Amino acid sequence: MDLIKKRKILDILSKYKDSDQAIVLTGFRRVGKTTVMRQIYNSLPTQNKLYLDLESLINQRLFADENYDNIKLKLEAEGLNFNEKAYVFLDEIQSVKNLPSIVKYLHDHLGIKFYLTGSSSFYLKNNFSESMSGRKFLFELLPLDFEEFLWFKDQKLLTNSDYGLLIEYYREYLQYGGFPAVVLSQTKEEKIMNLDEALSSYFRLDVTKMANFHDNQKLKELLFLLTSRIGSKPEINKLAESLNVTRQTVSQYLSFFEQTYLINFLRPVSGSTDITIKTTPKIYFGDTGLLNRVGQVGIGHVFENKVFNQLHTRLVYEEGISKLSEDLNYYQTKSGLEIDFVYKQKLGYEVKIKAGSFDVITAQKTATKAGLSDIKVISLEKSEKEGIITPFAL
């Protein structure tokens, strides 16, 4: 088995290798950002390049100077020649406080091509929007989609004729998720250990460094409460009461979880007068492996969460970065009609553990009311009925 596996994001990023703009890659911890950047770094046909992990205190010191020309001298001492095109890769940029303005200065004055990674979309979108306007392309890296999962397993089977084998792989994908190190782990114990380490490093590093909460224990307690609300609308009042905190605190916690890729919000389709509550989102975990480690969740909710993950990843691979609020939504009416997922305002997906003809008929009626061009029912159990697809087809 090859030690280095290809990710689809590499083909997207390669389109921008000759641009002047910085390439910024964001995503949850342990999702593979460093590996992707290392692959790009190793593929560059030049020696005038530098890779720095900014979680290293030694590397952080290179940028600990208010005089940016001194930083230039430090980078030259590391071997960079600014008389020709230089490439600088900086991993986990949220570790250095003033990095956005430093990158802007070095980019503008030295023409450095930057490749940057970080674990918080809030940090990257807000800090870099201010100082790197017009100087960056922002991309997201999510856990493996199912095709990538199969690549990591050295399998390239993607037809329904291989259902018996694919369903075994897919059930593993459901249970343990799509973190690369987890997928490559050979035993259940190793997979669990890697998932636990991803979660503990998130609280140890991202929460500690980027959040300013008075009680991180409450943040952890909220995470456990969310597992019973997968595919549902989180009721802020009830969560606040359970945690004995204010509504505002719960909202801040949820926002932080979203901005650091631990959870995602799925918002309702806009533009319909029949939508129950236009602004109320549903909640999903960014990875079903983490979801299953945090709480005991029924297979139906885990499956629905995984389909969300697959559609989310598809958006990213089509666009480079997802636009969840615009391109992936749910549909629900006052009368109770509902569609689990609406993709780009055109295609609906209804998720069932075991689907039949009645589910297809019901879904088609709802899709007509919603003005969708088509709808598919996704069934975990195999079905030959027209209008029903397997999750492998996403």
Side-chain angles (χ1 to χ4, degrees):
M1 183 182 289
D2 295 334
L3 292 179
I4 296 186
K5 305 291 185 179
K6 183 181 177 180
R7 298 294 302 272
K8 292 180 180 179
I9 195 73
L10 284 167
D11 291 332
I12 297 173
L13 298 181
S14 68
K15 299 175 184 177
Y16 301 90
K17 63 181 181 180
D18 296 323
S19 68
D20 291 331
Q21 286 86 347
I23 303 299
V24 185
L25 186 62
T26 180
F28 193 80
R29 286 189 173 274
R30 309 300 174 93
V31 83
K33 301 186 299 294
T34 299
T35 301
V36 167
M37 286 302 190
R38 281 287 185 186
Q39 287 177 278
I40 297 173
Y41 178 85
N42 292 333
S43 70
L44 289 176
T46 178
Q47 295 303 311
N48 198 31
K49 56 188 178 181
L50 181 64
Y51 195 107
L52 297 172
D53 176 6
L54 293 185
E55 290 189 337
S56 161
L57 295 176
I58 303 302
N59 291 335
Q60 288 176 18
R61 291 183 64 190
L62 293 173
F63 301 95
D65 199 313
E66 294 183 2
N67 186 329
Y68 294 168
D69 287 328
N70 289 340
I71 296 175
K72 172 195 172 187
L73 295 176
K74 293 178 183 179
L75 294 176
E76 285 177 329
E78 293 292 323
L80 287 180
N81 177 9
F82 294 118
N83 293 319
E84 59 184 74
K85 188 68 176 180
Y87 298 82
V88 175
F89 290 69
L90 302 178
D91 205 359
E92 299 296 353
I93 56 176
Q94 70 275 357
S95 302
V96 175
K97 186 175 294 186
N98 297 322
L99 198 68
S101 60
I102 296 172
V103 168
K104 177 180 180 294
Y105 179 86
L106 297 175
H107 172 275
D108 291 351
H109 289 79
L110 302 176
I112 296 174
K113 173 70 172 184
F114 280 99
Y115 284 85
L116 314 166
T117 79
S119 301
S120 168
S121 64
F122 175 82
Y123 173 86
L124 294 170
K125 289 175 182 176
N126 287 274
N127 289 36
F128 273 71
S129 293
E130 296 173 5
S131 62
M132 291 290 288
S133 178
R135 300 174 176 86
K136 71 179 186 309
F137 291 124
L138 181 63
F139 301 91
E140 291 177 336
L141 184 64
L142 302 178
L144 304 177
D145 73 4
F146 188 55
E147 187 174 20
E148 289 175 316
F149 177 90
L150 292 174
W151 292 351
F152 274 55
K153 296 290 187 180
D154 288 333
Q155 295 288 341
K156 296 179 174 62
L157 306 170
L158 281 175
T159 66
N160 284 339
S161 61
D162 301 306
Y163 179 87
L165 180 58
L166 284 172
I167 192 60
E168 292 303 313
Y169 280 118
Y170 193 80
R171 289 189 183 279
E172 178 185 337
Y173 185 51
L174 276 176
Q175 179 66 35
Y176 298 108
F179 286 107
V182 175
V183 175
L184 291 174
S185 296
Q186 297 300 306
T187 67
K188 172 183 175 181
E189 290 73 20
E190 288 178 26
K191 293 179 186 298
I192 290 174
M193 181 180 66
N194 275 300
L195 284 168
D196 289 351
E197 176 56 28
L199 197 58
S200 64
S201 66
Y202 169 80
F203 278 97
R204 186 175 67 251
L205 298 171
D206 287 349
V207 172
T208 302
K209 289 184 178 180
M210 288 185 287
N212 189 26
F213 302 129
H214 295 298
D215 191 347
N216 289 342
Q217 183 59 36
K218 295 289 187 182
L219 192 72
K220 295 177 183 178
E221 291 175 13
L222 174 61
L223 183 61
F224 290 107
L225 291 175
L226 294 180
T227 60
S228 63
R229 292 164 170 81
I230 294 302
S232 302
K233 305 163 191 172
E235 299 179 56
I236 305 299
N237 284 335
K238 288 186 177 180
L239 290 170
E241 185 178 337
S242 296
L243 295 171
N244 195 27
V245 297
T246 65
R247 280 177 49 88
Q248 182 182 13
T249 297
V250 170
S251 296
Q252 290 174 343
Y253 287 171
L254 291 173
S255 178
F256 181 79
F257 281 155
E258 182 188 28
Q259 292 163 358
T260 49
Y261 298 97
L262 185 57
I263 65 170
N264 297 111
F265 289 124
L266 182 72
R267 290 168 174 83
V269 173
S270 60
S272 171
T273 58
D274 201 25
I275 297 299
T276 307
I277 304 175
K278 292 180 180 297
T279 58
T280 306
K282 293 184 178 182
I283 192 168
Y284 295 95
F285 270 56
D287 179 76
T288 55
L290 290 180
L291 170 61
N292 285 319
R293 286 302 295 152
V294 173
Q296 298 295 318
V297 186
I299 183 63
H301 291 301
V302 175
F303 183 38
E304 182 181 333
N305 199 124
K306 179 55 72 181
V307 171
F308 167 82
N309 296 149
Q310 289 177 267
L311 292 173
H312 186 192
T313 306
R314 193 166 101 190
L315 272 179
V316 169
Y317 287 149
E318 288 179 1
E319 308 288 345
I321 188 167
S322 67
K323 301 175 182 177
L324 274 180
S325 60
E326 302 172 23
D327 292 334
L328 188 59
N329 309 96
Y330 72 89
Y331 176 84
Q332 188 177 51
T333 69
K334 294 176 183 177
S335 60
L337 293 176
E338 191 170 354
I339 296 173
D340 291 327
F341 303 110
V342 176
Y343 193 83
K344 292 191 172 181
Q345 308 288 320
K346 297 177 181 178
L347 181 60
Y349 291 101
E350 187 67 13
V351 181
K352 302 289 182 182
I353 293 295
K354 184 177 182 179
S357 298
F358 177 77
D359 298 304
V360 175
I361 294 170
T362 302
Q364 289 173 342
K365 288 180 179 179
T366 308
T368 299
K369 184 175 180 63
L372 302 181
S373 58
D374 194 13
I375 190 166
K376 300 293 183 185
V377 178
I378 306 171
S379 178
L380 184 61
E381 295 190 19
K382 188 176 183 180
S383 174
E384 303 294 341
K385 302 292 184 181
E386 187 175 349
I388 299 176
I389 64 172
T390 67
F392 325 136
L394 294 177

